[in-house]
Amino acid sequence: MTDAVLSVEGLTAGYVRDLPILRDVNLTLRRDTLCAIIGPNGAGKSTLIKAIAGLVPVSAGRVMLDGKPITGIRPDQMASLGLAYVPQTDNIFRSLKISENLALVLRRVPDRATRLDELYTLFPPLAEKRGDRAGSLSGGQRQMLAVAMALASRPRVMLMDEPSAGLSPKIQREVLDLARGLTEKGVSILLVEQNVKQALRVADHCYILAEGRNQIDGPAESILSDPAVGEIYLGGRRVGAA
Amino acid sequence: MIGMISYLAFFSTMAAIFAIAVLGLNLHWGYTGLFNGGVVAFFGAGAYGTMILGGRADATVLGGFGLPFLVALAGGVVLAGMLAWIVGLLTVRLRHDYLAISTFGVAIAFESLTRNAEWLTGGARGLRGFPRPFEAAVGNNFVYGLLFLAFVLLVLVLVYIGLERLVRSPFGRALRAIREDETAARSLGKNPTRLRLTSFVIGSMIMGVAGGLYVSFYAFVSPQDLAPILTFQIWAMLIVGGAGNNRGAILGAFLIWAAWTASGFLLARHAPVAMQIYTGSIQYILIGSVIVGMLLWRPQGLLPERLETSAGPDRTRPAGTNTTATTNKGVT
Ligand SMILES: Nc1ncnc2c1ncn2[C@@H]1O[C@H](COP(=O)(O)OP(=O)(O)OP(=O)(O)O)[C@@H](O)[C@H]1O
Ligand SMILES: [Mg+2]
């Protein structure tokens, strides 16, 4: 486990005091891999991602980035620690131009001109539309911009909350392939996904969450054949089920 | 003829002073999404600050230090900024309606303070007497009116240029980002609380400038000048002109001030005598109707925020971007 870049240990967290949504969640993301979190609606997937990003108060447990605790650090300071977060919705600024969206996040990047060129090279459609309002982008292009913004500060770890939601199957595949491709560029990815098959196609490791608790986890290829998966989705055999 | 010009100069001076306050509000609401319902408090802090520091000595109050005009004005502006900073620390975490209510309360409290702190503000009778800059040297009232107008317009232009640069700067970009989505901005490394506080203080200082000019123009200030209607007038100016557009803010100030003066004039002239006592109330209703009507039919204002696309004239490239990046080299 020495190559864990992000680890979540015994995390209990929720939006309201004394009303935990997540209970004792454990998770490890290994360096340069893609780890998927799947689970039914309301399982607490987004809450887990937000708790890691510092957006939801944590009442117990801790989050470690490269072996250093980052629990409870203000979200606006996470970026400088190498952790980027792509929210499930509203992840770009529609009233700003594409170039402005990128300039916004490149503010603290020392070589921002070079980095901007790199991002435009990585996402040619964004370069083409750089002078347009981000609100005029298509759904897939918006996700692209959101990912580009998260990548701007060269994070080591990227948290993505359902990057493929609301996209056509073809674009869904493209977005997930894009995420997969990033692991070869030194970015470790923790990703929430609704589409189990798609998630398992690109993931190395997979966690199943339900009712705010770890259910099962394992290498992506073995999860798909696990009969327990279907049962967890259908409501039986859950840890902590009422 | 001279009467006409001198009236126009008076009208324009007032409109320009309001325009400055509207520009301050535009930084709050138009660019940051801060709902300041107490504009008059910051306008008033600038007004009283300037008057106390630069006004003529008066044995009944503490102030009247007779400091040079620009020093007094700067002092008023700093006072408005300090008030905004304190109010801001307590309230900038609040959003929209809550911020509006608490700033409205601050304005009421401020007005009440000026009414009661007689040793400082002269209470209800206010402060009178302000040696206006160069007035003695010019002598002629008509010429002085034009000169003062020129000075106010100069300040307006300076504030306009300063704000245009500010909102196009990285700071302004971050403000527009938090206006749209605070959580996203936070997770991208921005600190919304600090940004909002900074914007709140700067915008309030601009309102303080307007207040300072206002008292140096009238050489008089009293709690009457801080009635809540002023806040609504300034809001109406911004909504009519177009929030998020500094030119719209200025246009709105001139239009609403024209409508306000014209309606006052017409009511005084043509309304039945029995109705004359309600002139003020009728004007209140008019301003309220303008705000509501505008929000219903043209919420973006006469000059909306410029949301140009690449087809538009303003296709600026960010610094350091070279065109080679657009030629599609690598793919994901
Ligand atoms: N802002 C909030 N305040 C209070 N409770 C919330 C908030 N957001 C989510 N919850 C609750 O937390 C629980 C988990 O929600 P979460 O959004 O983490 O689910 P999810 O697994 O991401 O679901 P989905 O697949 O629908 O995105 C739900 O019961 C939800 O009602
Ligand atoms: Mg979710």
Side-chain angles (χ1 to χ4, degrees):
Chain A
M1 294 296 272
T2 48
D3 63 342
V5 59
L6 180 80
S7 59
V8 172
E9 299 163 10
L11 196 75
T12 298
Y15 300 89
V16 189
R17 188 185 276 276
D18 299 327
L19 199 73
I21 303 281
L22 302 173
R23 290 197 193 87
D24 193 25
V25 172
N26 295 288
L27 177 150
T28 304
L29 172 66
R30 295 155 84 94
R31 196 174 303 283
D32 299 340
T33 65
L34 192 155
C35 175
I37 305 172
I38 59 177
N41 291 118
K45 308 182 294 294
S46 297
T47 309
L48 174 57
I49 294 274
K50 286 190 237 170
I52 297 172
L55 289 160
V56 167
V58 169
S59 50
R62 57 181 190 166
V63 181
M64 312 278 283
L65 182 68
D66 276 330
K68 290 187 203 75
I70 57 162
T71 330
I73 287 182
R74 286 216 321 263
D76 51 283
Q77 294 172 345
M78 289 289 186
S80 57
L81 296 174
L83 186 100
Y85 163 57
V86 185
Q88 180 167 354
T89 52
D90 301 322
N91 46 24
I92 58 164
F93 301 102
R94 280 158 291 146
S95 64
L96 303 188
K97 294 177 204 168
I98 284 129
S99 58
E100 289 179 320
N101 270 278
L102 291 170
L104 189 75
V105 288
L106 285 165
R107 238 340 240 160
R108 303 242 182 83
V109 178
D111 56 335
R112 55 184 96 108
T114 331
R115 188 60 182 153
L116 184 63
D117 279 351
E118 286 170 11
L119 292 173
Y120 279 147
T121 312
L122 198 57
F123 305 104
L126 297 184
E128 236 165 78
K129 302 194 155 212
R130 65 179 77 182
D132 290 5
R133 297 280 148 182
S136 70
L137 293 175
S138 73
Q141 290 168 338
R142 285 183 196 198
Q143 282 307 343
M144 209 181 259
L145 177 57
V147 172
M149 285 164 74
L151 285 176
S153 55
R154 297 196 178 83
R156 281 163 296 156
V157 174
M158 190 148 93
L159 312 172
M160 302 172 86
D161 197 351
E162 297 197 35
S164 70
L167 302 178
S168 74
K170 175 171 170 285
I171 309 288
Q172 276 188 6
R173 273 196 299 281
E174 281 180 23
V175 169
L176 292 176
D177 288 340
L178 163 68
R180 176 76 238 176
L182 291 174
T183 59
E184 274 136 44
K185 298 195 165 99
V187 189
S188 316
I189 295 184
L190 183 63
L191 171 146
V192 172
E193 181 52 55
Q194 282 286 349
N195 186 324
V196 180
K197 280 226 174 71
Q198 285 292 341
L200 295 177
R201 183 175 65 82
V202 295
D204 298 295
H205 198 90
C206 180
Y207 285 84
I208 300 188
L209 212 66
E211 320 221 347
R213 290 172 193 269
N214 284 102
Q215 302 294 334
I216 47 176
D217 75 277
E221 53 276 16
S222 67
I223 285 283
L224 204 51
S225 53
D226 192 327
V229 175
E231 291 179 42
I232 288 167
Y233 265 84
L234 292 173
R237 276 195 45 180
R238 284 187 190 170
V239 179
Chain B
M1 186 59 194
I2 284 206
M4 186 69 188
I5 294 178
S6 127
Y7 183 76
L8 271 180
F10 166 79
F11 169 84
S12 309
T13 305
M14 288 309 292
I17 289 174
F18 288 132
I20 294 169
V22 181
L23 284 176
L25 182 63
N26 196 24
L27 181 63
H28 286 171
W29 175 245
Y31 292 102
T32 323
L34 288 173
F35 198 135
N36 184 348
V39 175
V40 81
F42 307 101
F43 182 91
Y48 270 93
T50 304
M51 197 67 174
I52 289 169
L53 293 175
R56 263 193 271 280
D58 177 343
T60 60
V61 292
L62 174 72
F65 297 111
L67 294 179
F69 172 63
L70 286 179
V71 177
L73 183 62
V77 171
V78 168
L79 186 68
M82 279 175 3
L83 178 66
W85 189 67
I86 295 166
V87 172
L89 277 183
L90 301 172
T91 60
V92 278
R93 280 170 201 281
L94 305 175
R95 226 51 31 81
H96 302 309
D97 32 7
Y98 295 106
L99 180 64
I101 291 166
S102 46
T103 44
F104 187 77
V106 167
I108 300 290
F110 190 83
E111 197 255 10
S112 170
L113 178 81
T114 59
R115 208 174 273 287
N116 293 295
E118 291 196 12
W119 57 275
L120 185 65
T121 63
R125 79 198 146 77
L127 295 172
R128 191 177 296 277
F130 189 89
R132 295 195 287 177
F134 304 117
E135 191 174 19
V138 174
N140 183 327
N141 256 339
F142 172 70
V143 176
Y144 187 77
L146 292 180
L147 258 182
F148 196 86
L149 171 62
F151 175 68
V152 171
L153 288 176
L154 175 73
V155 175
L156 174 61
V157 168
L158 288 179
V159 169
Y160 170 79
I161 293 173
L163 274 182
E164 281 290 300
R165 295 182 69 155
L166 187 72
V167 299
R168 309 249 171 281
S169 72
F171 172 74
R173 199 164 51 212
L175 288 185
R176 281 178 286 150
I178 58 161
R179 174 189 69 179
E180 183 172 327
D181 190 328
E182 186 177 327
T183 315
R186 267 209 308 168
S187 48
L188 290 167
K190 305 287 152 192
N191 181 342
T193 312
R194 213 185 58 218
L195 285 164
R196 258 210 298 271
L197 184 60
T198 312
S199 162
F200 192 64
V201 169
I202 296 175
S204 301
M205 288 172 82
I206 295 173
M207 294 167 184
V209 172
L213 292 173
Y214 179 84
V215 289
S216 32
F217 184 55
Y218 277 117
F220 173 66
V221 64
S222 81
Q224 292 264 308
D225 296 314
L226 307 187
I229 184 67
L230 182 59
T231 296
F232 291 106
Q233 284 172 320
I234 288 168
W235 266 98
M237 290 166 177
L238 181 62
I239 288 167
V240 167
N245 185 326
N246 285 325
R247 279 182 228 179
I250 296 173
L251 174 72
F254 278 82
L255 284 181
I256 290 291
W257 186 238
W260 181 266
T261 7
S263 65
F265 177 77
L266 288 176
L267 285 168
R269 253 287 169 81
H270 300 294
V273 179
M275 293 260 301
Q276 299 268 338
I277 48 165
Y278 302 116
T279 300
S281 314
I282 295 172
Q283 282 186 296
Y284 282 28
I285 294 170
L286 286 178
I287 207 113
S289 313
V290 166
I291 293 183
V292 171
M294 207 63 194
L295 288 175
L296 281 175
W297 289 298
R298 199 175 158 84
Q300 72 276 34
L302 295 175
L303 293 182
E305 180 171 5
R306 274 166 286 170
L307 296 174
E308 71 280 352
T309 58
S310 57
D314 177 58
R315 188 175 185 181
T316 45
R317 289 264 155 87
T321 315
N322 55 46
T323 39
T324 52
T326 48
T327 54
N328 309 345
K329 286 179 282 186
V331 190
T332 58

